[in-house]
Amino acid sequence: MIDVHCHLNFEAFKDDFDEVIKKTKADGVEIIINTGTKLDSSKKAVELSEKYENLYAIVGVHPHHADKHELESGWEKKLEKLAKMPKVVAIGEIGMDFYNYKSNGIVDPKLQKEVFERQILLAHKLNLPLQIHNRHAGKEIIEILKSHKNLLKRENPGMFHCFAGTMDTLKEALNLGFYIGFDGNITYKGLAPGETVSLSDLAKTTPIEKIVTETDSPYLTPVPFRGGRNEPMRVIIVGEFLSQIKKLSYGEIDRQTTLNAKTLFGI
Ligand code: NI
């Protein structure tokens, strides 16, 4: 299995990332990809990828951090420098987020869009795929991707990380050639606030040839461990859950999603 999106670069792992990485490998998770959400966490993801053979990095500025502070400090040049490092496999997590966070509400959508578009341009310049973050903004993201179609990689343009949204958004994303990522929250019962389609139904509709697996560790811990810190080894639980709903063996899920991730990221 491959965990295509997690955050061992975050504070939650600062004391035991080495142990977690070794344990994950022993459990049969072949590759871990750490994703940045701003410049410092992107740098950390790159540092980890340099230290461990089975780790790769994705660098970018999350829409939640698309505020003035990031913009003032020559962020694009710094991000480009990081993105050119050999084990960086995509630009992410980038996108749009209209969820009203307790900490800083909704970042100005115009600013979010600008930061997203500039990073699409950077990915084009470096011929890298995108790792998209979408929270309650599927329609807007699809519109932006469509209007930048000439800047997307013709083959394997990217993936939607932790997919949620409508069947329409899913179909549009697939039509654009994107892969679809599912996480441990697929094991949760009921719908997340603001969502209208269950993750299981979205996964049922997505062809297995387009699914990639992830954990978003330390978040989205699957049942029965929900409530505790998530770890990349739990991508196995995501695989087992997919095996049930896709009516395929775990071995087949493992083989195909691993192939998908390797194809998408060229690893
Ligand atoms: Ni994440």
Side-chain angles (χ1 to χ4, degrees):
M1 295 289 293
I2 297 186
D3 183 355
V4 300
H5 179 114
C6 65
H7 304 288
L8 297 181
N9 48 339
F10 281 11
E11 280 286 300
F13 293 103
K14 75 172 176 12
D15 295 327
D16 64 345
F17 63 87
D18 185 66
E19 210 176 294
V20 170
I21 289 164
K22 284 177 184 150
K23 196 168 60 181
T24 305
K25 202 169 181 190
D27 281 344
V29 178
E30 195 185 336
I31 289 169
I32 299 171
I33 306 180
N34 286 303
T35 297
T37 53
K38 45 187 182 160
L39 289 171
D40 57 359
S41 58
S42 293
K43 187 165 175 256
K44 197 78 200 282
V46 171
E47 283 167 8
L48 284 170
S49 75
E50 285 165 348
K51 212 169 156 199
Y52 298 89
E53 201 203 331
N54 61 324
L55 263 60
Y56 290 84
I58 292 179
V59 299
V61 177
H62 187 291
H64 188 59
H65 296 297
D67 53 16
K68 280 184 191 128
H69 176 74
E70 287 283 325
L71 287 179
E72 275 166 3
S73 48
W75 66 279
E76 278 173 291
K77 281 231 164 74
K78 289 178 189 164
L79 185 61
E80 182 170 346
K81 207 174 152 202
L82 287 172
K84 283 179 175 163
M85 299 305 282
K87 288 182 86 185
V88 172
V89 294
I91 300 293
E93 51 187 296
I94 62 171
M96 303 284 282
D97 191 329
F98 293 160
Y99 180 78
N100 199 346
Y101 289 87
K102 273 189 194 131
S103 53
N104 68 339
I106 301 171
V107 172
D108 178 6
K110 264 194 204 153
L111 201 49
Q112 289 193 37
K113 190 174 178 217
E114 190 190 327
V115 170
F116 183 27
E117 289 178 335
R118 289 210 210 169
Q119 292 181 97
I120 292 174
L121 210 65
L122 175 64
H124 174 69
K125 190 175 166 186
L126 303 179
N127 197 32
L128 287 170
L130 310 176
Q131 192 174 62
I132 304 278
H133 169 96
N134 162 33
R135 197 157 183 194
H136 302 171
K139 233 178 131 194
E140 290 77 7
I141 288 175
I142 294 293
E143 254 170 50
I144 292 169
L145 292 175
K146 277 183 169 170
S147 66
H148 292 75
K149 220 179 157 192
N150 57 333
L151 295 179
L152 302 179
K153 281 184 81 207
R154 208 163 295 159
E155 270 173 51
N156 308 315
M159 61 168 285
F160 276 63
H161 133 69
C162 191
F163 192 89
T166 63
M167 284 292 176
D168 266 358
T169 302
L170 176 65
K171 280 172 191 159
E172 297 266 29
L174 289 168
N175 280 342
L176 285 165
F178 279 76
Y179 287 80
I180 308 296
F182 291 104
D183 299 66
N185 57 344
I186 199 167
T187 65
Y188 300 172
K189 285 209 165 63
L191 292 171
E195 301 297 350
T196 53
V197 188
S198 77
L199 294 173
S200 292
D201 284 344
L202 292 165
K204 272 180 206 159
T205 307
T206 309
I208 187 63
E209 292 77 18
K210 297 304 281 189
I211 291 181
V212 283
T213 52
E214 46 173 298
T215 64
D216 206 13
S217 298
Y219 313 115
L220 304 180
T221 311
V223 172
F225 302 100
R226 196 175 179 183
R229 182 185 73 170
N230 202 8
E231 293 184 8
M233 62 186 269
R234 305 242 169 86
V235 75
I236 292 169
I237 298 179
V238 178
E240 285 166 348
F241 199 85
L242 286 170
S243 147
Q244 285 173 28
I245 60 175
K246 300 299 274 183
K247 300 196 171 28
L248 293 167
S249 70
Y250 175 77
E252 180 58 16
I253 295 286
D254 181 7
R255 192 195 64 76
Q256 185 66 51
T257 59
T258 299
L259 176 69
N260 296 344
K262 288 185 174 175
T263 306
L264 169 57
F265 297 117
I267 51 180

